[in-house]
Amino acid sequence: MSSLTRRDFLHQTAITAGALSMGWGASFAQEAGPADMAIARWAGATGAEAPLADMAVKLTEQAIAAIGGIGRFVRRGDVVWVKPNIAWDRTPEQAANTNPDVVKTLVRLCLEAGAKTVKVGDNPCDRAESTYVKSGIAAAAREAGAEVEFLDRSRFRTVAVGGDRLKEIPIYPGFLDADLVINVPVAKHHRATTVTLCMKNYMGVVEERRKFHQDLPATIRDITAYMKPRLCVLDALRVLTGNGPTGGDLADVKAANLIAAGVDIVALDAFGSELLGHKPEDIGTVKAGFDAGLGRMDYRSLALKELEVV
Amino acid sequence: MRLKRPRSWVQWLRRLCQALFLALFLWFVLIARFRASEDGPGLIRFFFELDPLVVVATFLSTHTLVRGALLALAVIIATMVLGRVFCGWVCPLGAVHALASACRPRRKGRKDFESRSPWQRGKYFALVALLVMALFGVQWTGIFDPIPLLYRSVATAVLPATQYAVQEPATAIYKADPKIGGFHLTSISEPVYEFSRDAIFRVERQSFLQSTGIAFLFIGIVALNFVRPRFWCRYVCPLGGLLGLIAGRPVLRLHNDESACTNCGKCNLACPAAAQPDQRGKWLPSECYGCWNCVAACEGHAIAFKWESPFRKPNAGAVDFSRRATLAAGVTGVASLLALRLPPPARNQQPLPALLIRPPGAREERAFLQRCIQCGLCMRACPTNGLQPCGLEAGLEALWTPKLVPKIGYCQFNCALCGQVCPTEAIQPMPLVEKQTLKIGLAVFDTSRCLPHNYGRECIVCEEHCPLPKKAIYLINKDVLLHDGSTKQIKQPFVDPDLCIGCGICEWSCVYRDQAAIRVVAANEARNTYNQPILPDYGGMDRYAVARASRP
């Protein structure tokens, strides 16, 4: 459990160096600086009087701010791809897709930080023309100024990913050419992988993925490693607790009222697994990611901020 | 039709009118695919509502009037007053034929003289035979009726071919990325491709199983214009035949002024219908399309259309079709009907075609076939491209009627578009919530192919995709013996026949590209009580309302 990744090593070295050069005060300031993971929980009113959109906007803004603001990831002139889960022909309240207001907020933040273009798109399971509309994401993203892009099947580029299980896969070039891909999944139950969170969201950048189901943890690990995640935002405002990943029955939707953001995809997925009632080490994708050194399973050991937002 | 120097502005008005109607028709084909919404089909059924043959044939086969019968009545009244102006001014297939005829090479001399032929009775023969078939319950008019014929041809062949022709070369250029110096060819091809994709076609290219046959028929009838101008309209078209019967005594009639006529025959040469405008008193109102080519062609201004009392009998016989010929056509119709009904499926006898999955809301097979005009509107509208024209698997009677082929496209859970667009309600329109519990078939595992069942591997893509809120596919953890003798626990999928509605997304998403390990069969479909082998488990009713039997 205590394997030291290069990221951790550099991080701790920086802290130590800071402490050595600037004394304890400076070191303390570093600890209080941007976290690597933030969990923003809604502490305000819930129910009909508190619109979900308001909650989505505030939680997203606060979570991003807590990990250093969007400026930590987006430079002026960047092309950013916001990659939500738009897999299913379902409405936002059915919680099978990412909440549209989370996507909208992220698009706005990126543009405010000077991004040249923000694109939004996913390779869905149902028809894209239907899911983009039904999920509310296309309209919300366009409203915030994003380019909503349908993934043209004839344009996927087969790339060598060099994984243990996957050697090459077709990936949509937009994801490869973007300066930053923000991974924005919704936390859901999934019968094959138990949960579907950030890592599994990368299933939406590839084609020919049906056979991945024969070994989802390894294939998802390989795509994740290739995609080199830098920023993930986990939408857990509404979570689907059963009959996932499609859902459809509102009885399976629970209000978790939180959003987590971070730079460590495994940590976020570990947190998401706990949120959905599972031990992270029981989740195949989390374990595979951890074993491959893609991040920490013990998310509490990260520079973590937990916020209550009203 | 010869493109001559025009003398009649009416001729140009008519050409404009034809062009507009053809454009409108093509527009309706193009947009049918985008209207994936619940706000109704809008105007895309317009041409079918205009078509009197659809109304008459469906009335004969079902004794009910289809919607839009009033528009068709308007066409009938217009035909009684003005003659077959529908053929000359409105019919989009007529416009296609007129265009093709205009491309005919001009032959030398006057051998080209287009005189009337007894074969022009062919269209009446076709009409009577088809209507007799309809009367006895076989609706086959759609194969020949110009409106369904053209819609089907454009939707399943012409449009996909056009899209292919534009986008496939662009994709090839994109993949090869050829460059001359620093100039990439893609900097030209990609904008064209993206414009065609995003602004014109707007959806992925559809492809259809029977499109080759449909295309050949279409190309064939267009090519016939090189044998005779508007060959189809003249000799074959049953709608033309119907309108010809109605147009026997129009109020607007052609007059040939004896004192001005020089017998030059130019009017006859210009006539695409062989309606004998040159023979004084022998003009054939049932053949004439009212195109005014003869008026424009006449240098001596001898020819004109004039109003006349409909009670005055025209000199020439209205319709040259004898009682004997009518009888022969009727016998042909009956014989064709009997021939179509020979195979067991056509009589609802075993074995029923297992893979004949009709669209949701389709009536019971016989009632469905009595209404379906094979127009292809549902296939064009289907968002997944899953609705495909039948070949002969359901009998010749069902040629080109729609069926769901899940491996190509599934029935989308949140869509009931096919019933909304169907011009004859062969597929009944129904609210989405009703459609979402309507069984159109049953998913059946082929455990010899299924990975968790036979190969000891995890998979369950089918379960993941199942759109039912409570999942019609359930999983059982099972210890499976592997090749090395060890055991491994695998999630094996099974179908709950009470929940499964047969949408086919499981078959579509199955990892096999050739033949899926889970396939939808027609068994359990709500519309056929004769093919419901599984006794519903009413104990499970609280999970869902059991799909009600289809309406009669």
Side-chain angles (χ1 to χ4, degrees):
Chain A
M1 288 292 285
S2 61
S3 77
L4 188 68
T5 64
R6 185 166 57 178
R7 186 192 296 261
D8 294 336
F9 175 73
L10 289 174
H11 189 78
Q12 284 165 17
T13 311
I15 291 171
T16 317
L20 283 174
S21 62
M22 287 178 255
W24 274 111
S27 160
F28 184 73
Q30 185 113 16
E31 283 291 311
D36 281 337
M37 179 164 155
I39 302 166
R41 291 192 173 82
W42 186 251
T46 52
E49 72 276 10
L52 189 62
D54 183 45
M55 191 194 294
V57 172
K58 284 182 181 159
L59 288 178
T60 309
E61 284 176 348
Q62 296 284 320
I64 294 290
I67 57 169
I70 200 79
R72 179 176 168 192
F73 308 96
V74 178
R75 286 161 303 169
R76 190 156 292 278
D78 271 359
V79 175
V80 180
W81 193 299
V82 176
K83 198 283 178 200
N85 185 337
I86 330 178
W88 305 103
D89 187 21
R90 297 289 200 220
T91 57
E93 59 268 23
Q94 289 172 322
N97 303 307
T98 307
N99 182 293
D101 290 298
V102 174
V103 178
K104 187 174 164 183
T105 310
L106 285 170
V107 171
R108 176 171 56 78
L109 290 176
C110 292
L111 289 171
E112 282 170 6
K116 186 175 72 180
T117 317
V118 180
K119 294 184 178 185
V120 172
D122 185 19
N123 186 15
C125 299
D126 278 327
R127 309 279 310 167
E129 305 104 74
S130 313
T131 67
Y132 276 38
V133 174
K134 189 68 71 65
S135 67
I137 290 176
R142 280 199 192 101
E143 206 179 308
E147 283 179 18
V148 173
E149 193 160 325
F150 288 96
L151 274 49
D152 189 330
R153 237 164 267 286
S154 66
R155 293 299 189 258
F156 277 72
R157 194 193 300 160
T158 300
V159 293
V161 295
D164 289 341
R165 197 74 210 250
L166 288 179
K167 298 301 171 203
E168 54 179 32
I169 29 169
I171 297 185
Y172 191 69
F175 295 109
L176 303 171
D177 301 339
D179 297 303
L180 171 70
V181 177
I182 305 180
N183 186 342
V184 198
V186 59
K188 285 191 290 183
H189 165 254
H190 191 288
R191 202 93 63 174
T193 53
T194 314
V195 294
T196 163
L197 301 158
C198 302
M199 287 178 72
K200 187 159 188 311
N201 194 28
Y202 281 128
M203 291 281 275
V205 305
V206 304
E207 267 278 82
E208 307 289 336
R209 58 194 169 192
R210 289 171 188 173
K211 54 168 128 13
F212 293 1
H213 285 68
Q214 290 157 50
D215 191 356
L216 280 169
T219 48
I220 287 172
R221 172 203 65 205
D222 287 352
I223 307 169
T224 305
Y226 182 77
M227 290 301 293
K228 297 185 181 60
R230 284 171 52 208
L231 172 59
C232 303
V233 180
L234 179 65
D235 162 25
L237 296 168
R238 296 286 175 271
V239 296
L240 192 58
T241 56
N243 292 308
T246 50
D249 189 346
L250 292 180
D252 293 324
V253 179
K254 297 279 179 293
N257 295 338
L258 69 88
I259 282 180
V263 298
D264 185 326
I265 193 166
V266 180
L268 272 172
D269 278 11
F271 165 71
S273 310
E274 281 186 7
L275 183 73
L276 289 166
H278 303 280
K279 284 187 198 150
E281 53 269 31
D282 292 344
I283 305 299
T285 48
V286 176
K287 193 167 179 313
F290 174 72
D291 289 344
L294 300 178
R296 295 191 211 181
M297 206 184 307
D298 179 14
Y299 66 90
R300 290 184 185 84
S301 69
L302 280 175
L304 174 71
K305 267 190 189 170
E306 301 196 47
L307 329 160
E308 305 265 296
V309 180
V310 289
Chain B
M1 196 174 93
R2 297 279 178 272
L3 288 174
K4 292 176 78 80
R5 206 169 145 266
R7 281 192 203 83
S8 164
W9 60 271
V10 181
Q11 188 188 30
W12 278 102
L13 187 68
R14 188 257 308 160
R15 284 175 186 155
L16 182 70
C17 190
Q18 279 181 299
L20 283 177
F21 275 112
L22 180 59
L24 195 65
F25 186 87
L26 296 177
W27 173 245
F28 287 153
V29 179
L30 197 63
I31 65 163
R33 183 63 185 69
F34 319 144
R35 301 192 64 95
S37 63
E38 286 170 49
D39 55 353
L43 284 171
I44 55 174
R45 280 196 312 253
F46 173 72
F47 281 94
F48 297 100
E49 294 178 350
L50 216 52
D51 183 344
L53 186 57
V54 170
V55 177
V56 172
T58 318
F59 179 75
L60 288 177
S61 66
T62 67
H63 318 299
T64 54
L65 281 176
V66 296
R67 55 188 167 193
L70 274 179
L71 267 178
L73 186 67
V75 169
I76 290 175
I77 291 168
T79 308
M80 289 165 104
V81 176
L82 303 170
R84 282 171 66 184
V85 286
F86 179 86
C87 306
W89 292 59
V90 180
C91 180
L93 186 61
V96 171
H97 287 315
L99 266 175
S101 299
C103 301
R104 257 179 121 218
R106 189 186 289 262
R107 273 185 257 150
K108 283 194 184 118
R110 290 204 145 189
K111 304 282 180 214
D112 196 20
F113 223 81
E114 302 295 356
S115 55
R116 175 189 180 193
S117 146
W119 289 101
Q120 279 166 248
R121 289 178 295 194
K123 57 182 174 292
Y124 303 115
F125 194 92
L127 174 75
V128 172
L130 288 169
L131 290 185
V132 167
M133 281 166 77
L135 182 65
F136 291 106
V138 174
Q139 168 77 288
W140 234 47
T141 45
I143 303 284
F144 301 99
D145 185 337
I147 303 297
L149 187 151
L150 184 62
Y151 201 98
R152 175 176 67 233
S153 305
V154 174
T156 67
V158 177
L159 185 66
T162 313
Q163 195 166 354
Y164 185 87
V166 174
Q167 301 193 334
E168 206 58 22
T171 304
I173 293 172
Y174 174 84
K175 294 219 162 119
D177 193 17
K179 47 183 177 281
I180 305 153
F183 175 76
H184 288 262
L185 205 53
T186 49
S187 60
I188 298 177
S189 68
E190 279 306 274
V192 173
Y193 172 80
E194 279 167 19
F195 176 77
S196 78
R197 182 191 64 191
D198 302 334
I200 302 175
F201 301 115
R202 289 172 54 191
V203 284
E204 240 174 281
R205 179 165 56 88
Q206 294 177 305
S207 47
F208 295 94
L209 288 173
Q210 294 289 319
S211 48
T212 315
I214 292 168
F216 271 123
L217 177 69
F218 182 64
I219 293 166
I221 65 166
V222 173
L224 282 173
N225 287 297
F226 291 84
V227 179
R228 287 282 183 279
R230 297 194 66 164
F231 185 103
W232 172 267
C233 317
R234 244 192 233 196
Y235 302 112
V236 189
C237 182
L239 177 58
L242 178 67
L243 296 176
L245 290 180
I246 301 166
R249 287 184 187 195
V251 184
L252 193 66
R253 291 184 195 176
L254 186 109
H255 284 263
N256 191 335
D257 184 353
E258 206 170 343
S259 59
C261 176
T262 59
N263 289 319
C264 69
K266 283 182 179 167
C267 54
N268 196 39
L269 213 58
C271 178
Q276 306 190 145
D278 60 324
Q279 298 184 35
R280 258 178 303 288
K282 286 188 178 172
W283 169 69
L284 302 167
S286 303
E287 301 295 324
C288 176
Y289 312 145
C291 72
W292 290 61
N293 276 359
C294 51
V295 180
C298 184
E299 286 164 1
H301 301 283
I303 291 182
F305 277 95
K306 287 180 182 165
W307 300 105
E308 212 169 291
S309 162
F311 300 106
R312 232 189 100 195
K313 206 178 166 193
N315 294 344
V319 175
D320 172 26
F321 202 53
S322 65
R323 252 180 292 180
R324 183 176 300 201
T326 313
L327 193 66
V331 171
T332 307
V334 172
S336 311
L337 171 141
L338 293 175
L340 293 179
R341 284 282 166 81
L342 286 178
R347 300 182 188 176
N348 206 17
Q349 287 171 355
Q350 299 189 54
L352 297 175
L355 303 182
L356 184 68
I357 316 298
R358 292 296 191 188
R363 290 165 194 261
E364 175 277 318
E365 185 69 4
R366 181 65 55 83
F368 173 77
L369 292 180
Q370 282 169 356
R371 284 176 180 265
C372 178
I373 51 170
Q374 302 102 328
C375 65
L377 189 44
C378 54
M379 304 174 204
R380 173 66 190 154
C382 179
T384 67
N385 197 197
L387 287 185
Q388 295 278 328
C390 279
L392 299 177
E393 61 272 35
L396 188 58
E397 184 182 354
L399 183 70
W400 298 337
T401 55
K403 65 166 179 177
L404 185 76
V405 181
K407 204 61 208 166
I408 299 175
Y410 53 94
C411 180
Q412 193 167 302
F413 192 62
N414 288 326
C415 172
L417 211 54
C418 47
Q420 281 183 21
V421 297
C422 181
T424 58
E425 293 190 4
I427 311 169
Q428 300 166 96
M430 59 172 65
L432 195 55
V433 283
E434 205 172 305
K435 179 249 158 185
Q436 287 174 336
T437 54
L438 182 77
K439 293 186 192 321
I440 59 171
L442 174 69
V444 178
F445 274 106
D446 179 347
T447 51
S448 65
R449 289 171 80 81
C450 179
L451 303 181
H453 277 286
N454 201 33
Y455 292 105
R457 290 180 188 228
E458 297 283 1
C459 184
I460 65 163
V461 180
C462 51
E463 192 269 356
E464 174 182 328
H465 280 74
C466 180
L468 288 158
K470 291 295 179 202
K471 300 272 183 199
I473 298 177
Y474 60 92
L475 306 171
I476 288 180
N477 286 323
K478 203 166 174 185
D479 288 322
V480 180
L481 205 57
L482 299 181
H483 58 90
D484 58 359
S486 63
T487 57
K488 181 179 168 191
Q489 199 174 66
I490 302 256
K491 293 192 224 32
Q492 287 187 340
F494 295 87
V495 174
D496 182 338
D498 289 332
L499 289 185
C500 179
I501 57 171
C503 74
I505 196 171
C506 48
E507 178 173 347
W508 174 78
S509 63
C510 179
V511 70
Y512 287 96
R513 294 272 179 196
D514 46 3
Q515 188 181 46
I518 179 165
R519 294 193 289 280
V520 177
V521 294
N524 255 16
E525 56 176 346
R527 68 189 189 110
N528 188 358
T529 47
Y530 179 65
N531 189 22
Q532 290 170 356
I534 298 175
L535 188 65
D537 174 13
Y538 287 106
M541 261 187 74
D542 58 330
R543 286 176 301 180
Y544 265 152
V546 175
R548 49 168 188 73
S550 78
R551 283 169 274 181

